[in-house]
Amino acid sequence: MAARSLEIGPTGIRAARTIEILRTERGLSQRQLASRVAALGHPMSNSVLSRIERTQRRCDSDDLVIIAEALHISASVLLGRSPSGCTARTCRDT
């Protein structure tokens, strides 16, 4: 079986950037967000979060959903597909 490409596509890049934007807008360090994610039952170190934000690691669907929950937003916001029109720059905590 051939190795799967690790290239991150445009949606993955957008999600990574949105995670970073929302995290910084909320005044959270990578360590703080990783702690929130871990508290929700999905162990994640700040170095893993850093690699996701720098697009050096793919953000799988489990990561995406739990990071969104930790940021108090819908996962669709991280994908840039929110039906409410909420974007990284306009989304507020719910």
Side-chain angles (χ1 to χ4, degrees), residues 81-93:
R81 307 210 187 289
S82 174
S84 68
C86 179
T87 65
R89 299 256 182 234
T90 64
C91 187
R92 300 290 176 245
D93 287 335

Side-chain angles (χ1 to χ4, degrees), residues 32-55:
Q32 290 169 316
L33 180 54
S35 291
R36 282 187 180 190
V37 169
L40 292 169
H42 187 79
M44 179 177 287
S45 68
N46 62 301
S47 62
V48 167
L49 183 58
S50 174
R51 292 183 68 222
I52 289 171
E53 288 183 357
R54 291 180 288 138
T55 63

Side-chain angles (χ1 to χ4, degrees), residues 34-78:
S35 291
R36 282 187 180 190
V37 169
L40 292 169
H42 187 79
M44 179 177 287
S45 68
N46 62 301
S47 62
V48 167
L49 183 58
S50 174
R51 292 183 68 222
I52 289 171
E53 288 183 357
R54 291 180 288 138
T55 63
Q56 294 178 341
R57 179 186 186 275
R58 295 179 71 89
C59 183
D60 70 20
S61 57
D62 293 328
D63 294 335
L64 185 86
V65 169
I66 203 75
I67 290 169
E69 188 176 340
L71 289 169
H72 306 290
I73 57 166
S74 166
S76 63
V77 172
L78 297 181

